[in-house]
Amino acid sequence: MIIELDDAADERLADYTRLTDVALRRRLETERGLYMAESTKVIARAVEAGHAPRSFLMARRWYASMRPVIAAAGCGGRDDGGDVPVFLAEEDLLRAITGFHLHRGALAAMHRPQLAAVAKLLASARGGAGARRIAVL
C-alpha cells in the first residue's frame, strides 16, 4: 500500500526512526527479527534471496525504479506493495525521518530469515550430496 508521508513523527515509521541507539537496535533485531537494507541494489538482492520486507521507505523519485523489486518482494506481485507499506516522501522529509540524506534511493525494513539448522545445512551442502564438515570463514 502506498502511503504518502507528510509528518516525520508518523508512528508507522517506528522501524526507521527509533534505530539510532545501538543497544535499542540490537534489541529490535533480536526481538523482532528486523534488519535494514539500504539502497535499491541491496534491497533487490535481499528480495532475490527470499527475504520478506516489513516496509519500504523512499523518495517519490525512486518509486518508479523500485516498482519491479516491490512486486517481486512477496507483495502478491503488486508494485504498490499490497499489504506491505511503501512509504513515499520528499527528500527533505526523509532526511528529517532518518537523520541523513538517502543518497542511495531507498530503505527497507526487512524480516531477518531464520537460520537453517546445522544438520539441514550439512545435508544440503555440495548440491545436496551432503558434507560431514564445513569451514566457516
Side-chain angles (χ1 to χ4, degrees):
M1 79 190 85
I2 301 294
I3 300 170
E4 297 278 343
L5 297 171
D6 58 8
D7 181 7
D10 191 315
E11 286 297 316
R12 296 172 292 184
L13 298 172
D15 286 346
Y16 301 97
T17 60
R18 299 195 178 119
L19 293 177
T20 55
D21 178 68
V22 173
L24 178 61
R25 180 189 217 167
R26 285 189 180 138
R27 183 177 60 79
L28 287 176
E29 286 180 354
T30 302
E31 288 178 6
R32 292 198 267 164
L34 169 70
Y35 78 93
M36 302 303 288
E38 181 188 356
S39 86
T40 54
K41 186 179 286 188
V42 171
I43 296 167
R45 287 183 178 166
V47 167
E48 288 170 9
H51 298 202
R54 292 162 57 107
S55 66
F56 297 94
L57 175 65
M58 67 194 73
R60 287 183 181 94
R61 69 185 182 105
W62 288 96
Y63 175 64
S65 65
M66 285 294 295
R67 288 173 68 177
V69 175
I70 294 167
C75 301
R78 296 179 50 178
D79 63 6
D80 69 353
D83 292 335
V84 176
V86 178
F87 298 109
L88 302 178
E90 296 300 330
E91 295 194 28
D92 58 337
L93 181 60
L94 289 174
R95 192 174 303 112
I97 292 167
T98 63
F100 60 94
H101 175 65
L102 284 180
H103 62 281
R104 293 191 177 115
L107 288 172
M110 305 291 286
H111 292 285
R112 185 173 302 282
Q114 292 283 35
L115 296 175
V118 174
K120 184 175 181 180
L121 181 66
L122 291 172
S124 66
R126 300 182 332 161
R132 293 183 308 174
R133 60 183 160 232
I134 58 171
V136 179
L137 307 173

